[in-house]
Amino acid sequence: MIDGDKTMSFPENENNGSELYKLFRMDFLENKKTYLYELLVAWGICILLGSFMGIAGRGGGMGELIAFYIAIHYISNVYSSLSFSNMKHKSGRIATLMLPVSCKEKYIMKWIMAVPVMFAVGIIGYYLGDASRMIAAWLADSRSCPSYFHVPNPFYSTDSEVELLIFIAFTSYFFSQALYLLGSILWPKLSFIKTFAVLYVLQMIIGIIFLVCVKFIYKFMIIKISSDILVPNLLICLGVIQIILTFVIYWFTYIRFRRSEVVYRLF
């Protein structure tokens, strides 16, 4: 077994920050065309989505935010599922494991590219798409209402219920992305399809359990609590649980990557 922490680490006096920078630089130089294509595809999808909405005279509100959220959500999940695609074949696994950088630094680089960088790409993609929506609507003369030509804020709302939904949307985004990142190292081949299938089944099971629990609470609770109080509290608990599980999955992904061998094993 080739353990990255034992065989790839530098002496203690090395500058780990400098080595991480060199790793980023090397990865960018080797994959800059791939990154450029992926960036163009991600932003191209957002621009096309915004253009279609502008031509149809739609968007400018919650419906637009939901549409862009779904698009960016799947774009980030697809990219996360490709994070460890170089581990699909034996040659790629050897090259990755033998790279003279600590396993922790290799994982940090993958995590930064999959999480913060893709989040920034998604936010920029949203604003590019929203700009294309307004430009397309102006060119097609599909909307004359001045209130249509504004950018909905995806981070803030004066409505407390909408604010709660925004909170759940962001926690769900990172939680789902973390699961696809884990799937990328568990099964590098066809990672997105395999992870999607597993999560689809799990969501059905969890959804049924959740509905049963809510029904049980309403039926057997001695002190009746109105849905206006119960539902927001349940959503807040769900968001907090997702935040905790997201960091747990990040850690488990690192442990799984650290234990990777030249010969592929699921666990």
Side-chain angles (χ1 to χ4, degrees):
M1 175 177 176
I2 299 178
D3 189 319
D5 280 340
K6 294 181 180 179
T7 61
M8 310 301 164
S9 60
F10 288 99
E12 293 182 358
N13 60 351
E14 288 287 344
N15 189 333
N16 291 334
S18 175
E19 296 303 329
L20 185 60
Y21 167 76
K22 291 178 182 177
L23 183 61
F24 269 106
R25 186 172 182 274
M26 182 188 69
D27 181 71
F28 176 76
L29 292 176
E30 290 181 353
N31 302 290
K32 57 183 178 181
K33 289 185 178 179
T34 302
Y35 288 146
L36 178 60
Y37 293 148
E38 292 172 344
L39 194 63
L40 291 176
V41 169
W43 286 348
I45 292 173
C46 293
I47 291 172
L48 285 175
L49 178 60
S51 298
F52 286 139
M53 285 192 291
I55 293 172
R58 298 185 178 276
M62 182 57 66
E64 177 193 352
L65 289 174
I66 294 173
F68 274 110
Y69 172 80
I70 294 173
I72 294 170
H73 183 75
Y74 276 102
I75 289 171
S76 68
N77 287 346
V78 170
Y79 182 84
S80 295
S81 68
L82 298 174
S83 296
F84 295 97
S85 58
N86 55 342
M87 304 286 280
K88 289 189 293 187
H89 306 290
K90 186 175 180 180
S91 58
R93 297 175 72 83
I94 293 174
T96 301
L97 295 174
M98 294 303 294
L99 192 66
V101 182
S102 71
C103 186
K104 183 183 296 184
E105 288 172 332
K106 284 183 281 190
Y107 174 74
I108 289 174
M109 185 200 72
K110 296 289 187 181
W111 182 86
I112 290 175
M113 294 299 295
V115 183
V117 171
M118 279 308 298
F119 182 74
V121 168
I123 294 300
I124 295 172
Y126 163 71
Y127 285 108
L128 288 175
D130 199 60
S132 68
R133 170 186 64 84
M134 292 185 287
I135 293 172
W138 176 70
L139 292 174
D141 196 23
S142 58
R143 276 297 184 102
S144 58
C145 179
S147 62
Y148 178 80
F149 295 93
H150 79 285
V151 181
N153 190 341
F155 302 103
Y156 174 75
S157 174
T158 55
D159 190 333
S160 59
E161 293 183 358
V162 176
E163 277 284 294
L164 181 57
L165 291 177
I166 291 174
F167 169 70
I168 293 297
F170 277 107
T171 58
S172 299
Y173 169 89
F174 288 107
F175 177 61
S176 176
Q177 186 188 52
L179 290 171
Y180 280 91
L181 184 66
L182 175 60
S184 179
I185 190 62
L186 286 179
W187 34 64
K189 293 182 181 179
L190 301 175
S191 176
F192 179 81
I193 296 175
K194 293 177 181 178
T195 307
F196 181 85
V198 171
L199 292 181
Y200 181 79
V201 175
L202 288 177
Q203 284 174 353
M204 290 183 61
I205 297 173
I206 294 173
I208 293 173
I209 295 173
F210 179 77
L211 291 176
V212 171
C213 290
V214 172
K215 186 176 181 180
F216 178 84
I217 291 173
Y218 274 115
K219 186 175 182 179
F220 297 102
M221 187 177 293
I222 298 175
I223 301 176
K224 299 296 183 180
I225 299 178
S226 68
S227 59
D228 293 338
I229 299 175
L230 181 61
V231 173
N233 287 333
L234 288 175
L235 290 177
I236 292 173
C237 291
L238 175 62
V240 173
I241 291 172
Q242 287 188 141
I243 292 173
I244 296 172
L245 289 178
T246 297
F247 285 99
V248 171
I249 293 169
Y250 288 153
W251 175 251
F252 186 74
T253 304
Y254 166 68
I255 296 299
R256 179 62 184 85
F257 177 60
R258 190 180 66 182
R259 295 178 178 176
S260 297
E261 303 175 6
V262 174
V263 178
Y264 170 74
R265 290 185 176 86
L266 181 58
F267 296 108

